[in-house]
């Protein structure tokens, strides 16, 4: 065992004995630079710097994202420590997002985390971003119930759409996933067709509140019981809008709220159908959602109804832990820390990483 690990082992037992465990989480997988301090499972700070620079391009530009992370990472971490009212010397370990994500973005967080851990001589803990979205449910929060194992998690983000069976913190199995676009992309690309800025998901949600979800009908894709497909729906929406705008150039403006409500309705219908299939196949009625799209008000409403009508127990993350944030990275760091599960300092970022890895 090298010297770095010997020192770490001693420190690990010291921290466990004192029971004062402070984890700094660093997230930089896509276009948000975030840092968070968690003390014994409770969030002391969760600072997120969004990158406005991508809005005018209609999507994330990887090169610009990594440059913005470089600029943001030091002030974001300083702010997280300040808000937590702790000095960096009190930290027990540094947790960081190893992947999946954009390589240039991941490298900024990974390199920073490694240097900081080495400088402070404390453990380094690598975190899988997709596991972190799911395990954000285990952040200690007042009035927030934690899922009991086993549960089904519908992970819905800008890059992923999966149904995952979670047997334990780090025992996960993918039951189904998208064969093409992710659900967040379906929201964002539909919004782009309507001329809305990126990311359009929250805007579709906002306009949909005022609209009629049955105004326009779109068909559901035919794929395997627990798999998803959104690329056909996106094309159907594009052709529908093009045809309508040809007939009446003001069609989008005059019908925006109804179009948004109809798009949101069909997307949430597809998600709910797959969850019903998962419950039927596994017999598990503990249902959680995670990822950016779990902020959507319609899916939240439908899950609430499912509790009442079908006896499901549902777990919806607090709003600030839905889209990318470092608190979810720090909580996984905490769960791994108490197991003594540390990373070697030679670890590298990985752009492609399954939720099971
Ligand atoms: O998890 P996340 O922050 O980043 C990824 O790892 O992809 O998810 C971002 C996605 C975007 O596609 C965004 O449009 C979507 O989450 N999103 C929403 C809502 N809030 C964020 N989609 C629908 N309704 C929302 N309220
Ligand atoms: Zn994410």
């Amino acid at each position: 065992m090298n010297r770095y690990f010997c020192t770490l082992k001693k420190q690990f037992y010291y921290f466990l004995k004192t029971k004062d465990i402070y984890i700094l989480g660093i997230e930089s997988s896509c276009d948000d630079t975030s840092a968070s301090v968690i003390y014994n499972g409770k969030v002391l700070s969760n600072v997120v710097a969004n990158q406005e620079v991508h809005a005018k391009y209609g999507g994330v530009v990887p090169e610009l994202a990594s440059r913005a992370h470089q600029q943001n990472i030091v002030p974001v971490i300083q702010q997280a420590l300040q808000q937590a009212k702790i000095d960096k010397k009190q930290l027990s370990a540094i947790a960081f997002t190893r992947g999946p994500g954009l390589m240039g973005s991941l490298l900024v967080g990974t390199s920073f985390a490694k240097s900081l851990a080495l400088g402070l001589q404390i453990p380094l803990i690598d975190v899988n971003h997709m596991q972190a979205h799911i395990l954000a449910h285990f952040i200690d929060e007042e009035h927030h119930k934690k899922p009991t194992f086993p549960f089904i998690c519908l992970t819905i983000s800008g890059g992923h759409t999966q149904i995952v069976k979670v047997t334990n913190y780090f025992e996960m199995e993918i039951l189904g996933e998208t064969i093409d676009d992710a659900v967040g992309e379906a929201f964002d690309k539909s919004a782009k067709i309507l001329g809305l800025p990126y990311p359009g998901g929250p805007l579709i949600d906002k306009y949909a509140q005022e609209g009629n979800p049955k105004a326009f009908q779109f068909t559901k894709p035919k794929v395997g019981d627990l798999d998803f497909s959104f690329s056909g729906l996106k094309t159907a929406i594009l052709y529908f809008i093009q045809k309508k705008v040809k007939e009446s150039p003001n069609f989008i403006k005059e019908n925006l709220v109804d179009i948004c409500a109809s798009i949101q309705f069909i997307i949430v219908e597809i998600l709910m159908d797959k969850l019903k299939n998962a419950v039927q196949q596994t017999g598990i009625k503990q249902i959680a959602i995670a990822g950016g799209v779990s902020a959507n008000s319609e899916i939240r409403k439908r899950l609430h109804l499912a509790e009442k009508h079908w006896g499901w127990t549902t777990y919806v993350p607090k709003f600030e832990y839905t889209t990318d944030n470092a608190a979810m990275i720090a909580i996984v760091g905490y769960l791994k820390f108490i197991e003594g599960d540390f990373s070697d300092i030679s670890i590298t970022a990985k752009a492609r990483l399954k939720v099971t890895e």
Side-chain angles (χ1 to χ4, degrees):
M1 193 182 288
N2 65 33
R3 240 184 42 216
Y4 174 66
F5 264 94
C6 281
T7 322
L8 297 188
K9 229 175 147 194
K10 268 189 236 149
Q11 287 192 0
F12 166 61
Y13 289 115
Y14 167 76
F15 283 125
L16 277 191
K17 232 173 29 208
T18 61
K19 294 202 173 64
D20 280 332
I21 299 168
Y22 290 95
I23 307 286
L24 172 70
I26 300 174
E27 156 64 27
S28 74
S29 65
C30 190
D31 60 339
D32 295 308
T33 319
S34 181
S36 162
V37 177
I38 277 199
Y39 171 67
N40 291 348
K42 279 195 170 62
V43 176
L44 299 183
S45 64
N46 184 31
V47 179
V48 185
N50 304 116
Q51 301 179 358
E52 306 292 329
V53 64
H54 308 286
K56 61 174 180 278
Y57 298 100
V60 177
V61 184
E63 175 66 21
L64 295 180
S66 34
R67 287 182 196 200
H69 283 306
Q70 283 280 21
Q71 284 179 336
N72 294 341
I73 197 150
V74 172
V76 163
I77 290 175
Q78 273 172 342
Q79 217 177 319
L81 290 169
Q82 251 166 29
Q83 281 183 17
K85 295 189 177 65
I86 65 154
D87 186 86
K88 59 181 179 305
K89 292 201 181 79
Q90 287 171 268
L91 291 172
S92 319
I94 313 286
F96 71 99
T97 305
R98 184 188 184 204
L102 301 170
M103 188 44 110
S105 293
L106 290 167
L107 283 175
V108 178
T110 304
S111 309
F112 197 94
K114 286 168 74 165
S115 315
L116 194 56
L118 257 184
L120 295 170
Q121 285 287 298
I122 54 174
L124 174 72
I125 299 172
D126 69 287
V127 174
N128 178 319
H129 180 90
M130 297 314 296
Q131 287 185 358
H133 270 302
I134 297 174
L135 297 174
H137 282 282
F138 294 92
I139 292 172
D140 255 349
E141 287 280 340
E142 252 178 83
H143 314 300
H144 182 80
K145 57 181 193 284
K146 294 178 187 170
T148 49
F149 299 112
F151 66 92
I152 298 290
C153 188
L154 175 68
T155 310
I156 38 181
S157 74
H160 291 82
T161 306
Q162 290 181 332
I163 294 185
V164 181
K165 181 178 165 190
V166 187
T167 311
N168 219 317
Y169 293 132
F170 299 105
E171 242 184 273
M172 301 186 186
E173 182 192 349
I174 301 170
L175 301 182
E177 61 190 328
T178 183
I179 58 164
D180 42 55
D181 290 353
V183 60
E185 275 178 282
F187 270 108
D188 296 339
K189 287 178 178 171
S190 303
K192 197 172 175 182
I193 295 168
L194 301 175
L196 300 174
Y198 176 86
L203 291 170
I204 292 199
D205 190 357
K206 184 179 137 202
Y207 291 122
Q209 312 282 330
E210 317 269 310
N212 171 10
K214 301 273 171 66
F216 306 107
Q217 257 126 51
F218 300 102
T219 41
K220 291 181 200 168
K222 289 187 179 62
V223 271
D225 280 358
L226 300 178
D227 287 331
F228 302 85
S229 166
F230 289 104
S231 78
L233 177 66
K234 174 195 67 193
T235 312
I237 292 169
L238 176 68
Y239 289 165
F240 168 77
I241 296 292
Q242 282 176 342
K243 181 169 167 274
K244 290 289 187 186
V245 168
K246 219 170 176 182
E247 290 164 11
S248 156
N250 284 335
F251 176 76
I252 297 179
K253 211 163 140 202
E254 285 162 4
N255 298 279
L256 187 62
V257 292
D258 285 344
I259 303 170
C260 288
S262 303
I263 292 173
Q264 180 167 277
F265 177 77
I266 183 74
I267 292 177
V268 173
E269 273 285 299
I270 295 168
L271 298 176
M272 289 303 292
D273 277 357
K274 299 298 173 166
L275 273 181
K276 272 189 265 178
N277 292 347
V279 170
Q280 214 167 37
Q281 287 189 19
T282 61
I284 299 170
K285 288 186 171 184
Q286 307 276 320
I287 308 294
I289 53 171
V293 182
S294 65
N296 183 267
S297 59
E298 184 63 20
I299 184 91
R300 288 172 172 239
K301 224 182 285 167
R302 295 287 296 274
L303 284 177
H304 188 67
L305 288 176
E307 287 217 334
K308 262 187 14 204
H309 298 314
W310 305 327
W312 297 4
T313 306
T314 65
Y315 303 91
V316 175
K318 258 184 94 178
F319 199 75
E320 58 261 49
Y321 307 135
T322 54
T323 44
D324 290 349
N325 67 89
M328 69 184 196
I329 305 302
I331 191 67
V332 180
Y334 174 70
L335 295 170
K336 282 191 164 185
F337 184 89
I338 48 187
E339 298 288 318
D341 184 0
F342 307 148
S343 316
D344 192 90
I345 203 72
S346 63
I347 193 159
T348 52
K350 218 167 163 219
R352 287 174 181 274
L353 200 60
K354 286 202 163 126
V355 71
T356 43
E357 285 179 68

